[in-house]
């Protein structure tokens, strides 16, 4: 069986079907997909850490993973809405998301050599932090 | 700018990095990605409906979209965890998810001819309902 | 400082302010508050288990806590909406919620003698399972 | 039937059962309960606005309600965890939460005279914004 999953085209396509779609819909689609992917990766990493023999040393990593997943999820939820946005709120949430991703990447980096899930999560979080930062700059008025 | 977003390979890769990864990790990755994509699509459809001139006739669609997004999200969250699963709970949640997707597809179908977001959402919900059903059958013991 | 928090009256009051409020708004308010309280308690229990010295033996409990929190949260979200409800979906989600609460109560019971958070979580989950069951019966047509 | 719902004592009690409970557990319990109550109230207000005859004029209010609910929910989720907290992330998320509550209170205020749910939501959001601000000051190092 082939895992097909969501395609970035799908995200862009439905965002474009909004009657008042944004000018920068490609950036929006990218940021939405990236935050959703980061939420998923952090949640999987938390569970993988929980299953590790060294779970007692991974408490901070699990907690940080779960926090990052929650913050990315809330950010993604805001990004699904193009109707009557509040730029100041979006910016503050993107700032918190960047902070969460940075914290999580830093913690995962400590285990990245020994645990592939932490290495993957570190990379995803770094990429998400950059994407959030670019989005913040794009909406600065 | 190219919207890159999550790739199905990413999901499979990190699920495989779990120390006790499931035998049917491809199916798990597919179901996880499909429920996440459906949650995203329903949330975007709710917001697009809200922006339509005919919003007053789309109340049920908006509500059903939001319900489906919440149920898909919870289902996805359970699917991120491979540690010590409870098959009976997973099955019940997949059943609720199939129900939510079926309800949402039926409602979106009514508007699919006039609104592209509803057409896309209908298709995504139908596909998610099938995926949940296949997963339920796969975990039946 | 006194922790005041949400009052059940608040929930009932705002649900009643809906232009098409349900006949059984008291039951709705109770079920909504109970699922939200259960989501919160399960999330706190997961984190308390993670901090325990015996964390390696609490993996299943942590996972089950997180699942139950997610399922209760989705159920609560559906219960916040009185507009154009789908009884079949609500019933299926309440069924999954009861299942999640039952699973979580059973797992927490195993640790209830030694860990106060598991004892409290067991009680909250049992109460939530009953409340969901009563709500299911009430909406049966 | 009496709607009983969550009691603030419950929140404090289970937070105190954590093996490494915080010194300021009363403040934590209050902030957690307040963000959860605000998430619930905003979600109910969104649905009540959707059911209003004047729904077309309430689009911004619905969107802002849904954003505020998502941000409060993520903030609450972080507040459920006392294990190995990151103060900088918590502070950034509390900042975003205050912003969301402020935005939502401002929008609801415009309809508060005519719609009781908006008046209640405005008050809850204002109270939540203050609570988040006090928590931010309390964790400043």
């Amino acid at each position: 069986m082939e895992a097909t999953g969501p395609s970035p085209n799908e995200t862009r396509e439905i965002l474009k079907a909004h009657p008042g779609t944004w000018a920068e819909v490609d950036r929006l689609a990218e940021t939405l997909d990236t935050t959703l992917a980061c939420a998923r990766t952090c949640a999987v990493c938390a569970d993988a850490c929980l299953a590790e023999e060294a779970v007692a040393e991974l408490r901070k990593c699990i907690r940080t993973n779960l926090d990052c997943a929650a913050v990315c999820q809330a950010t993604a939820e805001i990004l699904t809405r193009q109707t009557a946005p509040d730029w100041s709120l979006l910016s503050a949430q993107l700032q918190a998301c960047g902070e969460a991703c940075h914290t999580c990447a830093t913690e995962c980096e400590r285990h990245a050599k020994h645990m592939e899930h932490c290495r993957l999560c570190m990379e995803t979080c770094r990429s998400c932090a950059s994407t959030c930062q670019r989005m913040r700059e794009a909406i600065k008025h």
Side-chain angles (χ1 to χ4, degrees), chain A residues 84-113:
Chain A
D86 182 272
W87 304 108
S88 175
L89 165 55
L90 178 53
S91 181
Q93 187 58 39
L94 286 165
Q95 155 81 14
C97 197
E99 190 80 33
C101 290
H102 175 72
T103 304
C104 196
T106 303
E107 183 58 31
C108 278
E109 191 179 17
R110 296 181 55 226
H111 318 292
K113 275 190 193 155

Side-chain angles (χ1 to χ4, degrees), chain A residues 72-127:
Chain A
C72 285
Q73 185 58 39
T75 309
E77 220 175 292
I78 294 176
L79 292 168
T80 58
R81 292 188 269 275
Q82 298 176 88
T83 307
D86 182 272
W87 304 108
S88 175
L89 165 55
L90 178 53
S91 181
Q93 187 58 39
L94 286 165
Q95 155 81 14
C97 197
E99 190 80 33
C101 290
H102 175 72
T103 304
C104 196
T106 303
E107 183 58 31
C108 278
E109 191 179 17
R110 296 181 55 226
H111 318 292
K113 275 190 193 155
H114 308 294
M115 294 172 205
E116 177 65 0
H117 50 84
C118 282
R119 193 189 65 74
L120 291 165
C121 191
M122 173 192 74
E123 284 185 1
T124 303
C125 286
R126 280 186 186 155
S127 156

Side-chain angles (χ1 to χ4, degrees), chain A residues 33-53:
Chain A
D33 279 334
T34 303
T35 49
L36 285 175
C38 195
R40 174 212 60 201
T41 294
C42 289
V44 175
C45 190
D47 182 64
C49 286
L50 185 65
E52 292 285 353
E53 238 185 85

